[in-house]
Amino acid sequence: MITKRKVVLDYDDTIIKSRERIVELLNEKNGTNKSVKDIVTWDYKSIDENITPDEINALYASEKFFNELELYETVKEFIHEMKNKYTFVVCSVGSKENLERKENHIKQLAKELDADIHFAGVEFNAASTSKHQKSCYNFSDCECAIDDNTDALLSTNAKIKILFKPNIEREWNRIPRSSENFYVVSSFEEILEIFKFNEKLKEEGIELGTL
């Protein structure tokens, strides 16, 4: 029996175009025509100056948000290509309703791709003193973590950390000054190529201590 290695993936803005969907909903609400490039901070104030955190959380938990969500390009291809060697865990923070909808989405994706994909939800706790509540998840047996947030990655104990930054350069996805085994990519096509290259090296008996 083959022992699969584990990859932990973030949900929002890593495998899923969440920001794009929120901007679409705010444009629809306000009659505007803004894009993700107009986002300056996490609170979406640059998109809608009157929006409140509670309203944003409600949008993230809404059926309307999930109805037209899109995966980033090549996510399915990446999972399909690597599913015989890796178990995938999608780890995400959110409200109870948001996490329930995410889990259902991931179950559908796992069934569609016939892949070993699990969901690990961390319910948002406003009283928590931790900046990145996902850090409570144990990444010690995880070979690779992929996320769009630099601090979230650095807060984990994953062996390899891949920062996914496809379209915007902001404080939350800055490149750290120094971090061992930290990689930066702009697409899942790049991630797939990294994994393929690593698998080829392993077949040749070459171990670089990564992936």
Side-chain angles (χ1 to χ4, degrees):
M1 182 177 177
I2 298 174
T3 301
K4 292 183 179 181
R5 288 159 278 164
K6 183 188 291 185
V7 175
V8 177
L9 297 153
D10 179 40
Y11 185 92
D12 294 303
D13 305 306
T14 299
I15 65 169
I16 300 294
K17 296 181 179 181
S18 297
R19 287 192 197 98
E20 281 87 342
R21 186 65 186 130
I22 292 295
V23 172
E24 285 175 0
L25 292 174
L26 291 176
N27 280 335
E28 183 180 308
K29 166 180 172 278
N30 298 319
T32 50
N33 189 33
K34 296 189 177 182
S35 73
V36 290
K37 293 183 179 179
D38 295 310
I39 298 173
V40 178
T41 57
W42 280 99
D43 59 12
Y44 290 94
K45 288 288 188 181
S46 59
I47 305 298
D48 182 343
E49 62 181 12
N50 297 314
I51 199 76
T52 67
D54 285 344
E55 288 172 325
I56 289 296
N57 289 335
L59 281 177
Y60 270 104
S62 69
E63 184 177 356
K64 197 170 186 179
F65 171 74
F66 282 89
N67 279 347
E68 297 184 36
L69 276 182
E70 292 183 20
L71 287 164
Y72 271 100
E73 293 76 12
T74 321
V75 168
K76 288 184 179 181
E77 290 84 347
F78 166 68
I79 293 173
H80 178 74
E81 289 272 353
M82 294 293 124
K83 68 181 183 180
N84 292 328
K85 293 182 171 67
Y86 291 90
T87 291
F88 301 93
V89 177
V90 177
C91 185
S92 187
V93 177
S95 66
K96 184 175 183 294
E97 187 175 6
N98 171 266
L99 294 177
E100 288 173 352
R101 293 186 188 278
K102 284 176 177 173
E103 184 171 18
N104 287 335
H105 188 194
I106 294 306
K107 285 179 179 177
Q108 291 170 11
L109 183 64
K111 184 176 181 180
E112 176 187 345
L113 298 177
D114 190 24
D116 194 8
I117 313 174
H118 306 277
F119 183 75
V122 179
E123 191 166 347
F124 175 74
N125 180 4
S128 173
T129 57
S130 174
K131 184 178 179 182
H132 296 288
Q133 296 175 42
K134 200 186 301 179
S135 61
C136 67
Y137 180 83
N138 184 9
F139 288 78
S140 60
D141 63 343
C142 165
E143 187 147 320
C144 178
I146 304 171
D147 204 304
D148 69 304
N149 187 292
T150 302
D151 289 337
L153 279 172
L154 294 177
S155 73
T156 75
N157 55 354
K159 298 183 181 91
I160 305 300
K161 303 170 179 69
I162 296 180
L163 178 66
F164 178 65
K165 48 187 306 182
N167 50 26
I168 54 176
E169 188 91 22
R170 295 292 184 266
E171 174 60 24
W172 63 76
N173 63 8
R174 74 195 184 285
I175 299 174
R177 292 182 180 178
S178 63
S179 179
E180 187 177 359
N181 294 332
F182 191 100
Y183 302 91
V184 182
V185 300
S186 61
S187 70
F188 266 83
E189 185 175 359
E190 290 179 55
I191 295 173
L192 179 56
E193 288 306 312
I194 290 170
F195 273 69
K196 282 182 175 180
F197 179 69
N198 181 74
E199 291 303 319
K200 183 177 180 181
L201 290 180
K202 287 188 176 183
E203 288 173 5
E204 296 174 358
I206 301 172
E207 287 286 348
L208 297 180
T210 61
L211 296 180

